[in-house]
Amino acid sequence: MTGLPTIIHALLLFLALSATAHVAAASRHDRAAGAPCEFTPSASADQGASGLIVGAEVLLPAGSRPNQGVHIRFNGGLGLVGDFDAVRAALPNAAVLDCRGQAVLSPGFVNAHEHPAYSYAFPDSKLNPGYIHRDGWRLGTNGALQLPIPAPLLYKPGDRRSAAMLLAMELRHLLGGATTIAGPGGLPGVIRNINRHSRAGDIDLYDYEADVEVFPFSFEAVEDLRDECAGGAAHRFPPPSDPELAFMAYVAHVGEGRKSSCAARAEVARYLQRAQRRDRRYALVHGVATDRADYAVMREFDVTLVWSPRSNLALYGETLDIAGAVDSGVRVALSTDWSPSGSFSMREELQCASRVASAAGVALPAEKLWRMSTVNGAYALGLEDRFGAVEPGLRADLILVAHAGGDPHDAVLTATDDELLAAWVDGRAILLSEALPKSLGAGECVALEGMAPRACGVLAMFDLSPAAFAEHVEGAVPINNTSRQAPCEARH
């Protein structure tokens, strides 16, 4: 009788190893049959603690590297990053998703400026590129046609409609490659949202903080500056409300109007004067009215220019001098602004930026556009030590895209939703292709209309079924249809 437990233990161990071998063999069979990745489960009984190694060509700040291994740790951070075989040897118990030669892994895009609470709405039928300053379309200043501003949609716990609408917005951005959005509003637990913790509940909603300011000087700048622009005394704006927030970046709308707008130019001058204090990180959003002299100051005082070309063109018929900004060496980050006049996703904004730059005689290669959408966006928010790159110690905010050859940066920038294999936020796989095992997902993975990848672990968070989700989001900007977004065209 003393040998029976040993025999039973040996039998159980044999069965467990056989099951693991069967899964691994099945994974190898799938890879041979054309699947992009081979999955090997963890060799540890405590599978979650071992984490996951992703093997792929990886886009690093220093350049693209093939045959790399990236360890996603159980706590949502990035562990080892290096040669695939070396990483696997160092972490023998980790699960492995080997996509080498078939996929490219990139940090998710950082959308450095959005208005999530409004980005369910389509462009208004009266939207036109004839405005001189933002006060024209916002307030009808100087006889301009005032555009209706959509009602803000704020998350209300227990309200399934608001949750579904905001979830659709965040999934749309995630499907477009973004893992981070900066701006007021959003949904807890899905995409990474960045803004100040200024109200109860913001701790749950905003993963990290940046001082995102809509209008740093005035909500009626044209009126306030009317006498100054007519040759009178300089107008004195009140001091900033929270000047002591030196620990977080200041990310503000400035110069949102044509270069011919005195009010827009006056805003730029005042903001750059403030930035010369060097008391905190500064980012200048829109900057349509900026010029080469401004870019020299921005370069000297490390002010990031956050560019939203589609929205600029849709409202003002022009955008910033991208040739001047690039020639001056200004750090540029890309953003979508909002759906009523901007791009529906970062991939759409990237394509618009490329066309606008090309029309201006500026070559923006894929790697430069990728930097504008990742490391530069994180830097604009003062959070480059948290995300925006694939580096040990940063958060695991990643996108995995099918890629069999050519420029890996271009593959990430232009991927269709069929080519998006996975998207992780804080180490949780929220989007997952049908070609990958469901076990990789951050919970139950369900198919949603308009999306090739499955959404994992997010509908249940808000007590939504696929049918209820589809019902609540009817009439809002769809997850993957850009036919009604504003045009990306310069004014003639």
Side-chain angles (χ1 to χ4, degrees), residues 260-476:
S260 59
S261 167
C262 172
R265 289 289 306 142
E267 289 175 349
V268 171
R270 284 170 167 80
Y271 191 74
L272 293 184
Q273 186 176 29
R274 179 183 296 180
Q276 293 179 43
R277 302 173 185 174
R278 297 187 188 271
D279 57 342
R280 62 196 301 192
R281 181 75 56 80
Y282 284 87
L284 191 156
V285 178
H286 292 305
V288 181
T290 52
D291 61 21
R292 292 192 177 230
D294 301 321
Y295 302 144
V297 175
M298 294 174 72
R299 168 67 176 170
E300 180 179 356
F301 292 94
D302 194 26
V303 178
T304 301
L305 186 56
V306 180
W307 186 30
S308 302
R310 186 185 301 272
S311 187
N312 298 163
L313 294 171
L315 290 166
Y316 311 111
E318 62 184 57
T319 188
L320 57 84
D321 176 10
I322 186 60
V326 171
D327 290 346
S328 301
V330 173
R331 182 182 286 102
V332 179
L334 281 171
S335 70
T336 54
D337 193 15
W338 65 344
S339 62
S341 63
S343 293
F344 286 178
S345 74
M346 280 290 283
R347 281 207 179 89
E348 292 295 310
E349 193 70 22
L350 281 155
Q351 293 176 28
C352 180
S354 181
R355 293 200 299 271
V356 170
S358 180
V362 178
L364 290 181
E367 183 174 1
K368 191 171 187 69
L369 286 165
W370 173 82
R371 288 183 179 279
M372 289 180 176
S373 305
T374 54
V375 290
N376 288 7
Y379 191 91
L381 303 176
L383 295 168
E384 71 277 12
D385 61 340
R386 308 297 177 90
F387 50 77
V390 179
E391 293 181 350
L394 271 61
R395 305 311 299 168
D397 295 355
L398 306 165
I399 51 176
L400 182 69
V401 171
H403 172 58
D407 185 341
H409 292 92
D410 187 63
V412 170
L413 303 189
T414 62
T416 65
D417 63 328
D418 291 304
E419 294 167 330
L420 180 63
L421 299 176
W424 290 269
V425 178
D426 221 32
R428 299 168 56 244
I430 294 176
L431 295 184
L432 199 63
S433 166
E434 288 280 359
L436 300 185
K438 288 184 178 180
S439 60
L440 291 172
E444 182 185 4
C445 296
V446 297
L448 295 176
E449 185 177 356
M451 275 179 47
R454 297 160 295 181
C456 301
V458 289
L459 265 70
M461 291 170 57
F462 307 104
D463 194 25
L464 290 167
S465 66
F469 174 80
E471 179 183 353
H472 287 308
V473 302
E474 187 175 356

Side-chain angles (χ1 to χ4, degrees), residues 215-238:
F215 307 131
F217 299 108
S218 169
F219 275 71
E220 299 181 80
V222 170
E223 185 60 36
D224 289 342
L225 292 165
R226 192 174 298 279
D227 290 344
E228 178 181 326
C229 288
H235 180 77
R236 294 178 64 87
F237 287 108

Side-chain angles (χ1 to χ4, degrees), residues 186-210:
L187 199 67
V190 188
I191 209 166
R192 190 180 298 285
N193 288 287
I194 309 297
N195 198 21
R196 283 184 55 194
H197 296 151
S198 57
R199 294 171 298 191
D202 284 350
I203 293 292
D204 295 327
L205 178 57
Y206 301 123
D207 301 83
Y208 297 111
E209 290 188 281

